[in-house]
Amino acid sequence: MADNSEMTDSDYINKNFDRVLGKPGVKAVLVLDRETGNVLKTGGNTELFRKESTESSKPSISNDAPSEGTTETSSADREGVIELATLVWNYVNATEQFVQDLNKEDTTHLQRLRTATQELVIITDPRFILAVAHDKKPNSG
């Protein structure tokens, strides 16, 4: 049996990807390289991501890690995924800088962002960023 220390990055990503994508309410999953922001893997309904293009520098989708969980990824979907990756990566970096400015010994591990239509949970790891888009739960009160 393989020791976790022998697990490759790809094994590490794949180990729980399908389990997370199969959870109730999960609409899409995005895995980014922590250092570059490049998209390593996607799954679910990538059509929900914005498709407007920006002129800023963007991470790319790795050619050796095709999109998962969809039959084909259109050009507009790919642009939407890259745009979301850029937004998530910039958001994580800004949030981590904010936390460091408050306390140099502190770090972020999980961020939850709720909008009017969905919820985005972002988990940071030294090697990866995992962003999970959920259906927004109705307010109870």
Side-chain angles (χ1 to χ4, degrees):
M1 195 153 138
D3 183 331
N4 281 346
S5 63
E6 297 173 13
M7 192 177 290
T8 67
D9 286 350
S10 181
D11 292 339
Y12 182 75
I13 291 170
N14 291 325
K15 182 178 180 188
N16 293 311
F17 187 84
D18 291 333
R19 183 178 58 82
V20 169
L21 191 56
K23 288 197 177 272
V26 171
K27 298 192 304 187
V29 178
L30 180 67
V31 181
L32 308 178
D33 179 270
R34 179 64 192 98
E35 190 168 319
T36 65
N38 288 341
V39 177
L40 300 176
K41 190 165 185 170
T42 64
N45 183 7
T46 59
E47 290 178 5
L48 67 92
F49 303 137
R50 296 185 327 158
K51 295 174 182 53
E52 297 87 26
S53 175
T54 61
E55 295 303 316
S56 65
S57 117
K58 300 178 196 176
S60 64
I61 295 178
S62 172
N63 288 334
D64 56 340
S67 183
E68 299 279 336
T70 58
T71 54
E72 274 191 40
T73 305
S74 73
S75 172
D77 287 350
R78 288 178 67 81
E79 282 299 312
V81 168
I82 291 170
E83 183 175 358
L84 178 67
T86 302
L87 293 170
V88 167
W89 193 66
N90 289 336
Y91 177 78
V92 167
N93 287 330
T95 303
E96 287 182 348
Q97 184 60 54
F98 173 77
V99 169
Q100 286 288 300
D101 289 348
L102 290 175
N103 181 346
K104 295 243 184 267
E105 297 177 17
D106 208 354
T107 60
T108 59
H109 299 285
L110 183 135
Q111 300 171 40
R112 183 171 294 213
L113 178 65
R114 296 182 96 183
T115 69
T117 58
Q118 64 189 349
E119 181 175 53
L120 193 63
V121 175
I122 303 168
I123 301 166
T124 55
D125 172 273
R127 298 172 296 180
F128 309 104
I129 297 171
L130 173 68
V132 181
H134 292 265
D135 289 324
K136 184 178 174 206
K137 296 175 183 158
N139 291 339
S140 57

